[in-house]
Amino acid sequence: MAANDSSDAVGVLAGITSPRDLESLDATELEQLAVEIRDLLIMAVAERGGHLGPNLGVVELTIAIHRVFESPDDKIIWDTGHQSYVHKMLTGRANDFGGLRTETGLSGYPSRAESEHDWVENSHASTSLSYADGLARAHEQTGSDRHVVAVIGDGALTGGMAWEALNNIAAHRDRRLVVVVNDNGRSYRPTVGGLADKLTRIRTSPGYEPTLQAIKERLTGRGGAIGPATYEALHAVKKGFKDALAPQGMFEDLGMKYIGPVDGHDRVAVEAALTSAKRFAGPVLVHVLTTKGQGYDIAVDNENDQMHQSVPFDRETGDALAVAPAGWTSVFRDEIVRIADGRDDIVGITAAMLHPVGLDAMADKFPDRVFDVGIAEQHAVTCATGLAMGGMHPVVAVYATFLNRAFDQVLLDTALHRCGVTFVLDRAGVTGDDGASHNGMWDLSLMQLVPGLHLAAPRDGSRLREALREAVDVADAPSVVRFAKGAVPDDLEAIERLDVVDVLRRDDDPQVLVIGVGSMARTAVDAAELLAAEGIRTTVVDPRWVKPLPAELLTLAERHRLVVTIEDNGRQGGVGSTVVQAVSDAGLPVPVRVHAVAQEFLPHAKRDVLLERLGLTAGAVADDTIATLSRLAGNSDH
């Protein structure tokens, strides 16, 4: 990790090696600490990229949490975890921010390997309350009197798991569990849904500011220091203001005490609210209002996502340091609008990620035909199935890693009912910087289990447009189109098409059939060129549609001595495994070498670094093929 880097901590922050160091700071030092944290956040993310807006918004909140609770004895759980940078700084990692999101450097999410203060590193949303419920139950079983604190955004509250957990948390009124709702009105974009509407009414109500002031005065005893900030005192204020302003009734009907709304950028008020929650011997919800990007006007004024996740940028202007080349997402963005232009039945569904998955252009042109359901992938899939039953053809666009959450719905809702729903999986395969939970390396395996499903893995932009049009023509089964993260490569033209299979290279009298899946098609061609230099002749194909497995692949396999498959999906259950099974079922004597992602959780690093480590490069594939042919030749001699 970086040392003496330009992103090192300075001033008050330099003296913070653990949360306990916060106890000795006075009000002036704490204010200075917040300034220094924001400066370091902006400096580090400007250099390395990462989640800026969410972290700028939780500076005072995180300081207050660590002053009131005693981590790691008290467990602090960050939902999603992209807002944990400040937590990392306050738990002894401020000087490591020069290596943020780099190989061997700090993860962009909580990491159990980094610190005893990090409990949960799964960066999928809406899970924190379930973790917290389990930890609180464990405390009860072991006789511990420690607290569990779960910090969840209003966006993550749109996920069904959060409400399942709340239902259970509220049922046990003697557990020491504090739920902090960090309400900034957004996930990537403004939060949607009925709960979001209720929370928004707090922010926009004329009585909002005086309500905050009244609560602050009652919490702090009007003198600035935390006075009799008991829940009963707060309760008296709350009943005077909240019936018109807040959704406390909804939570209290569940059996949870409610504190708030509290100005999340007023550290003293937040500390007072958390202290009240800590004193109450049962589950409490503290509602904190924050502004994403707070303290950096460029982020606050960013209409797209308030610099939710930023590439490296100029700190003075907020402009990206380099213009990213056209990506896969942009190809989808343009093509889905063209398709929707010609078909009134096409509708789009996104799970709180309208811009990241490229449905924003369609939403601009056809606002009544694009639906953002919030962070609710399971609901998105079954809702899409209902739309299909009603005569529409939904296109559900999500990150590949997030479709994992809705596998049951794809299987037993969409596929069982033979409904025409197209799933567009962005960031499929090895993605890199965001770590284990964001790699889209499971979808090819999971979707192989779904009867009747059609799955395409386009190798370039032209094939993506082609596959998308073919997918939305499938009316009696789910269809999937998956593509990688980052820049879309130059088109790789075929020399021939055999039904759905594209032949990319064919030598005379070929020995090896190389099957390149999706973004690995170029790797397959490059490996073939290396093999040709060694006198080994190949046929290189891109199946285009990998489920159902094209029969042409078996016909081709029969004509070669060896079959080699390359995919950036897990080895178990992927395309390579399917080819092995199909070759075996057909009774073909040809061996198959599967090159795929090791079935393990990958660390954060650049995609090319991880692919090289996994042996998913042209050189590694060529070397393995040469060695395999040598073994086969040796066996035939015997």
Side-chain angles (χ1 to χ4, degrees), residues 434-477:
D434 283 329
S437 65
H438 271 53
N439 287 308
M441 54 179 280
W442 323 104
D443 58 292
L444 289 178
S445 299
L446 290 172
M447 295 302 105
Q448 289 287 352
L449 299 174
V450 180
L453 181 139
H454 300 251
L455 198 160
R459 65 182 179 270
D460 55 34
S462 292
R463 259 45 65 175
L464 171 54
R465 295 183 184 92
E466 185 179 62
L468 188 59
R469 288 185 176 273
E470 293 172 359
V472 297
D473 282 340
V474 178
D476 59 352

Side-chain angles (χ1 to χ4, degrees), residues 396-409:
V396 180
V398 295
Y399 285 5
T401 180
F402 296 141
L403 191 66
N404 300 356
R405 315 186 81 181
F407 170 73
D408 179 69
Q409 286 68 35

Side-chain angles (χ1 to χ4, degrees), residues 283-565:
V284 182
L285 186 143
V286 180
H287 183 189
V288 177
L289 302 178
T290 62
T291 299
K292 202 170 182 179
Q294 176 75 10
Y296 186 47
D297 290 344
I298 291 172
V300 174
D301 295 339
N302 184 298
E303 294 183 2
N304 185 18
D305 64 357
Q306 292 184 314
M307 300 185 78
H308 178 91
Q309 184 167 14
S310 177
V311 297
F313 64 92
D314 183 299
R315 283 177 280 166
E316 299 300 321
T317 65
D319 295 334
L321 295 180
V323 178
W328 289 91
T329 308
S330 65
V331 177
F332 166 70
R333 177 183 287 112
D334 295 340
E335 193 63 22
I336 192 61
V337 173
R338 294 190 184 98
I339 294 172
D341 270 332
R343 284 183 51 173
D344 292 340
D345 64 325
I346 298 293
V347 294
I349 297 181
T350 178
M353 302 183 75
L354 186 71
H355 283 80
V357 299
L359 277 176
D360 51 305
M362 182 179 172
D364 289 341
K365 189 165 186 178
F366 304 106
D368 295 332
R369 290 166 57 186
V370 176
F371 314 115
D372 185 346
V373 300
I375 302 176
E377 290 86 0
Q378 293 168 296
H379 169 67
V381 173
T382 305
C383 174
T385 304
L387 280 161
M389 290 174 172
M392 310 304 291
H393 190 102
V395 176
V396 180
V398 295
Y399 285 5
T401 180
F402 296 141
L403 191 66
N404 300 356
R405 315 186 81 181
F407 170 73
D408 179 69
Q409 286 68 35
V410 174
L411 177 67
L412 293 179
D413 294 340
T414 311
L416 178 64
H417 294 97
R418 298 178 178 85
C419 289
V421 177
T422 295
F423 299 96
V424 175
L425 306 187
D426 200 325
R427 290 157 172 78
V430 175
T431 57
D433 294 345
D434 283 329
S437 65
H438 271 53
N439 287 308
M441 54 179 280
W442 323 104
D443 58 292
L444 289 178
S445 299
L446 290 172
M447 295 302 105
Q448 289 287 352
L449 299 174
V450 180
L453 181 139
H454 300 251
L455 198 160
R459 65 182 179 270
D460 55 34
S462 292
R463 259 45 65 175
L464 171 54
R465 295 183 184 92
E466 185 179 62
L468 188 59
R469 288 185 176 273
E470 293 172 359
V472 297
D473 282 340
V474 178
D476 59 352
S479 57
V480 176
V481 179
R482 55 118 59 187
F483 51 81
K485 177 183 180 181
V488 61
D490 294 338
D491 282 356
L492 181 59
E493 299 299 339
I495 61 175
E496 183 182 5
R497 177 164 290 179
L498 303 174
D499 195 12
V500 300
V501 175
D502 278 353
V503 180
L504 305 180
R505 178 189 175 104
R506 182 191 288 119
D507 296 331
D508 292 336
D509 190 22
Q511 303 158 277
V512 181
L513 174 64
V514 185
I515 301 173
V517 178
S519 62
M520 305 308 292
R522 170 59 69 181
T523 303
V525 171
D526 292 344
E529 292 176 357
L530 294 175
L531 291 169
E534 299 297 324
I536 298 172
R537 302 174 302 279
T538 63
T539 302
V540 180
V541 298
D542 167 16
R544 293 179 58 252
W545 289 87
V546 297
K547 180 177 170 57
L549 196 71
E552 290 74 16
L553 291 182
L554 293 180
T555 301
L556 288 165
E558 194 171 13
R559 301 171 186 167
H560 294 76
R561 292 183 56 204
L562 175 67
V563 175
V564 173
T565 69

Side-chain angles (χ1 to χ4, degrees), residues 51-67:
H51 291 90
L52 182 60
N55 287 286
L56 289 171
V58 298
V59 174
E60 290 81 9
L61 171 60
T62 309
I63 293 172
I65 288 172
H66 277 297
R67 277 172 56 82

Side-chain angles (χ1 to χ4, degrees), residues 91-371:
T91 52
R93 288 168 276 177
N95 282 334
D96 296 326
F97 267 76
L100 178 66
R101 300 175 77 245
T102 61
E103 187 179 13
T104 74
L106 280 184
S107 167
Y109 294 91
S111 169
R112 291 165 67 93
E114 284 181 12
S115 174
E116 63 179 347
H117 298 277
D118 292 2
W119 287 91
V120 173
E121 56 192 62
N122 179 355
S123 45
H124 286 187
S126 310
T127 60
S128 62
L129 303 187
S130 295
Y131 284 116
D133 184 40
L135 281 165
R137 290 173 189 264
H139 285 178
E140 183 179 55
Q141 293 293 315
T142 59
S144 171
D145 63 353
R146 306 308 306 191
H147 282 79
V148 180
V149 181
V151 185
I152 184 169
D154 58 297
L157 277 180
T158 63
M161 262 190 81
W163 290 94
E164 293 173 25
L166 280 172
N167 184 53
N168 279 272
I169 289 169
H172 299 274
R173 304 187 181 187
D174 55 351
R175 291 185 184 140
R176 298 178 182 272
L177 199 162
V178 177
V179 175
V180 179
V181 175
N182 173 32
D183 177 8
N184 59 30
R186 305 175 71 95
S187 47
Y188 272 85
R189 295 280 292 165
T191 309
V192 298
L195 173 63
D197 291 342
K198 288 188 176 184
L199 296 178
T200 298
R201 282 198 290 273
I202 299 173
R203 292 176 169 274
T204 58
S205 168
Y208 162 63
E209 290 296 341
T211 299
L212 287 185
Q213 185 60 32
I215 292 174
K216 177 181 177 180
E217 289 176 357
R218 183 63 63 95
L219 284 169
T220 59
R222 300 180 183 271
I226 295 176
T230 62
Y231 179 78
E232 288 73 23
L234 178 75
H235 191 73
V237 176
K238 180 185 67 179
K239 286 301 182 184
F241 291 95
K242 295 287 189 49
D243 288 341
L245 294 179
Q248 89 285 351
M250 175 168 50
F251 296 108
E252 291 189 341
D253 286 346
L254 282 173
M256 292 189 68
K257 299 301 182 183
Y258 175 99
I259 297 177
V262 179
D263 182 349
H265 302 300
D266 184 331
R267 179 192 53 78
V268 174
V270 177
E271 284 190 26
L274 292 174
T275 299
S276 291
K278 185 177 181 179
R279 289 174 178 169
F280 186 79
V284 182
L285 186 143
V286 180
H287 183 189
V288 177
L289 302 178
T290 62
T291 299
K292 202 170 182 179
Q294 176 75 10
Y296 186 47
D297 290 344
I298 291 172
V300 174
D301 295 339
N302 184 298
E303 294 183 2
N304 185 18
D305 64 357
Q306 292 184 314
M307 300 185 78
H308 178 91
Q309 184 167 14
S310 177
V311 297
F313 64 92
D314 183 299
R315 283 177 280 166
E316 299 300 321
T317 65
D319 295 334
L321 295 180
V323 178
W328 289 91
T329 308
S330 65
V331 177
F332 166 70
R333 177 183 287 112
D334 295 340
E335 193 63 22
I336 192 61
V337 173
R338 294 190 184 98
I339 294 172
D341 270 332
R343 284 183 51 173
D344 292 340
D345 64 325
I346 298 293
V347 294
I349 297 181
T350 178
M353 302 183 75
L354 186 71
H355 283 80
V357 299
L359 277 176
D360 51 305
M362 182 179 172
D364 289 341
K365 189 165 186 178
F366 304 106
D368 295 332
R369 290 166 57 186
V370 176
F371 314 115

